[in-house]
C-alpha cells in the first residue's frame, strides 16, 4: 500500500518555527494596514482606501506564501524579508503621516533581526544594507529639515544595527550550545566514539552509499578481553583508560566514512561498507592486531575478541523499507549476528576473529589466546 504523496506529506508536516515567525510578522502587518484603511475612510489618513487595501493584500499574500510552504528555504526567507522591506518603504511613501512613517521605519529594524534566524554572519549584511537604505528613504520623505533628517537617519540606522549585533552574538552562542548538546547526545562521553543514537543518525547515509556502490555492509564487533579482571585488579580508572586506548586504536585504523561506535560497556563496533566478505574479514584482523600491538604507559596489555557479520547493502536497505524499521534497527539485527560470532571468539580462547554464518572464508584462527579470566 502506497503512502501519501509528497504534497500531502508537506501539508501535514509541522511548521518550522522560523517560518511561523515570518508568517506572523506578515499577517500582523496586513492587520495593521487594514486598521489604516479604517482610519483613511474616517479621514484621519489622507490616503485612498483602495491603495491601502492593495498594500494589505500584498502583506496577506506574503503571509499565505509562508503558511503554505511551512518551511521556507533560506532563499525564500530572504525574498520574503526583502519584500517586507519594500512594502514598509512603500507604505511610508504613500501615507504622508509622520507617525505612520516613523512606525514603518522602526518596524524595518525588525527585518534584519528576523533574518538572523535564517542567515548568518556576512550573509546577513546585504539584507541589513537594504533595510538601512529603506530607512534613509523614509527619513528623507518626512517633512523635516536637513539637520533633523540626518538625526532621524542616524537614530534609525542605530536602531537597526544594535539589535542585529546583539541578537547576532546571542544567536551564535545559542547555536554553539545547540551544536555541543547535539554532539554530546550522539557521542560517548568517555571514548568520544558514536553511541547508538549517533550510529542511527549516520547509518542511513552509509547504507544508501553502500547500496549505490553494490557493496556489503559489515559489522566488526570487538569486546575487550578480561575487562572485568582489569577493573578488579587495576581499578575502574585504569579500566576507563583501557577503553579509551582501545577506542583510539580502532579509530586510527579505520577508513574515513566508517562508523566507530561504543555500544555499551567494553563492546565497541566498526560499521562500514566493503567490497566483499573477505575485505571485512581482513579489516577485522587488522583491527585485532592494532589493539594487540598498542602499548600505553601504565596500562596492562590489551587484546580484543572480534565477531563480524555482513549483508549486501541492497538487502539491508530493502529490509529497512519492507519491515518499516529505521536504519538503526536494521543495523541492530546485524549487530546481533556479529555478537553470536563474538561469543564463538570468546569460546575459542579470545584475541581472535570469528565470522557469522554467511561470511566468506573459514573462521580466522589468527591471534594468541588471551587470559582465561573474566569476559
Amino acid at each position: 500500500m502506497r503512502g501519501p504523496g509528497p504534497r500531502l506529506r508537506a501539508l501535514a508536516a509541522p511548521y518550522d518555527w522560523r517560518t511561523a515567525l515570518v508568517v506572523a510578522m506578515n499577517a500582523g502587518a496586513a492587520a495593521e494596514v487594514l486598521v489604516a484603511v479604517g482610519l483613511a475612510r474616517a479621514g484621519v489618513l489622507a490616503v485612498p482606501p483602495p491603495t491601502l487595501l492593495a498594500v494589505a493584500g500584498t502583506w496577506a499574500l506574503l503571509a499565505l506564501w509562508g503558511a503554505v510552504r511551512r518551511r521556507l528555504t533560506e532563499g525564500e526567507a530572504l525574498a520574503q524579508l526583502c519584500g517586507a522591506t519594500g512594502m514598509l518603504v512603500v507604505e511610508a511613501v504613500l501615507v504622508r503621516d509622520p507617525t505612520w512613517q516613523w512606525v514603518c521605519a522602526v518596524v524595518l529594524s525588525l527585518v534584519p533581526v528576523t533574518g538572523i534566524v535564517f542567515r548568518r554572519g556576512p550573509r546577513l549584511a546585504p539584507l541589513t544594507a537594504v533595510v538601512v537604505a529603506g530607512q534613509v528613504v523614509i527619513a528623507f520623505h518626512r517633512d523635516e529639515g536637513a539637520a533633523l533628517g540626518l538625526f532621524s537617519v542616524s537614530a534609525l540606522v542605530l536602531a537597526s544595527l544594535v539589535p542585529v549585533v546583539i541578537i547576532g552574538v546571542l544567536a551564535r552562542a545559542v547555536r554553539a550550545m545547540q551544536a555541543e548538546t547535539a554532539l554530546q547526545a550522539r557521542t560517548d562521553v568517555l571514548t568520544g566514539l558514536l553511541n547508538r543514537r549517533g550510529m542511527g543518525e549516520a547509518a542511513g547515509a552509509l547504507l544508501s552509499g553502500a547500496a549505490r556502490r553494490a557493496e556489503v555492509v559489515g559489522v566488526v564487533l570487538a569486546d575487550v578481553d578480561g575487562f572485568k579482571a582489569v577493573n578488579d585488579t587495576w581499578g575502574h580508572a585504569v579500566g576507563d583508560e583501557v577503553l579509551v586506548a582501545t577506542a583510539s586504536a580502532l579509530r586510527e585504523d579505520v577508513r574515513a566514512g566508517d562508523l566507530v561506535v561504543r555500544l555499551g560497556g567494553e563492546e565497541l563496533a566498526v560499521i562500514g561498507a566493503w567490497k566483499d566478505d573477505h575485505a571485512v574479514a581482513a579489516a577485522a584482523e587488522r583491527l585485532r592486531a592494532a589493539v594487540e600491538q598498542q602499548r600505553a604507559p601504565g596500562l596492562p596489555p590489551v587484546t580484543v575478541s572480534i565477531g563480524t557479520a555482513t549483508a549486501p547493502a541492497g538487502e539491508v536497505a530493502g529490509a529497512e523499507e519492507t519491515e518499516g524499521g529505521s536504519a538503526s534497527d536494521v543495523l541492530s539485527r546485524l549487530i546481533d549476528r556479529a555478537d553470536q560470532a563474538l561469543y564463538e571468539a570468546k569460546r575459542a580462547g579470545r584475541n581472535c576473529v570469528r565470522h557469522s554464518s554467511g561470511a566468506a572464508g573459514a573462521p580466522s584462527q589468527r591471534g594468541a589466546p588471551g587470559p582465561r579470566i573474566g569476559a
Side-chain angles (χ1 to χ4, degrees):
M1 180 177 179
R2 298 182 61 183
R7 292 184 179 178
L8 289 178
R9 286 197 298 269
L11 289 175
Y15 272 107
D16 171 43
W17 69 270
R18 300 175 303 173
T19 300
L21 178 64
V22 174
V23 170
M25 183 182 72
N26 291 336
E32 287 297 321
V33 177
L34 288 177
V35 172
V37 172
L39 295 176
R41 286 174 176 167
V44 177
L45 296 176
V47 182
T51 300
L52 291 177
L53 285 172
V55 172
T58 304
W59 279 114
L61 286 175
L62 288 173
L64 182 62
W65 177 14
V68 172
R69 289 288 291 124
R70 291 178 174 264
R71 183 176 293 274
L72 293 173
T73 65
E74 184 177 301
E76 290 172 336
L78 178 63
Q80 284 234 354
L81 293 173
C82 286
T85 300
M87 291 301 301
L88 289 167
V89 174
V90 168
E91 286 183 41
V93 171
L94 289 176
V95 183
R96 301 304 295 255
D97 178 84
T99 301
W100 189 270
Q101 290 174 329
W102 184 257
V103 168
C104 289
V106 171
V107 172
L108 265 178
S109 303
L110 300 178
V111 172
V113 172
T114 306
I116 288 174
V117 302
F118 286 98
R119 301 177 70 83
R120 305 181 187 183
R123 293 181 294 176
L124 190 63
L127 178 61
T128 305
V130 170
V131 168
V132 170
Q135 289 175 327
V136 171
V137 171
I138 293 175
F140 282 103
H141 269 78
R142 290 166 58 85
D143 295 327
E144 301 172 332
L148 190 55
L150 288 174
F151 174 76
S152 298
V153 168
S154 64
L156 290 171
V157 170
L158 191 64
S160 295
L161 297 183
V162 170
V164 167
V165 172
I166 294 175
I167 297 179
V169 170
L170 293 176
R172 178 174 295 183
V174 169
R175 289 181 180 123
M177 292 175 60
Q178 290 174 332
E180 179 65 23
T181 301
L183 179 63
Q184 292 178 358
R186 63 176 182 269
T187 57
D188 174 61
V189 176
L190 176 64
T191 62
L193 303 181
L194 293 174
N195 56 23
R196 285 184 178 269
R197 176 176 178 176
M199 177 190 72
E201 291 178 356
L206 186 149
L207 293 180
S208 61
R212 188 169 56 251
R213 298 186 298 269
E215 296 174 326
V216 299
V217 175
V219 171
V220 178
L221 184 60
D223 185 277
V224 179
D225 293 325
F227 187 70
K228 182 178 184 300
V230 171
N231 280 333
D232 292 344
T233 305
W234 297 73
H236 288 278
V238 172
D240 287 347
E241 292 182 34
V242 165
L243 284 177
V244 171
T246 304
S248 178
L250 295 178
R251 188 161 38 201
E252 290 175 3
D253 200 72
V254 300
R255 308 158 301 170
D258 288 343
L259 308 181
V260 189
V261 186
R262 184 184 181 190
L263 297 175
E266 65 270 28
E267 279 196 343
L268 311 174
V270 175
I271 303 168
W274 284 271
K275 180 180 178 182
D276 51 33
D277 291 349
H278 292 287
V280 177
E285 180 56 36
R286 285 196 306 271
L287 291 170
R288 185 205 63 77
V291 174
E292 184 182 32
Q293 292 165 9
Q294 70 171 343
R295 291 293 181 268
L299 297 183
V302 178
T303 63
V304 291
S305 299
I306 293 179
T308 72
T310 60
E315 177 183 315
V316 175
E320 179 184 353
E321 294 177 2
T322 57
E323 298 175 21
S326 66
S328 179
D329 295 334
V330 175
L331 280 181
S332 292
R333 290 192 284 272
L334 201 56
I335 289 170
D336 289 340
R337 287 176 48 202
D339 198 41
Q340 295 302 314
L342 174 61
Y343 281 124
E344 291 296 326
K346 291 289 187 182
R347 284 193 287 265
R350 303 184 180 88
N351 191 24
C352 60
V353 179
R354 290 293 184 269
H355 312 297
S356 69
S357 58
S364 170
Q365 302 292 341
R366 281 174 270 185
R372 293 182 176 275
I373 52 176

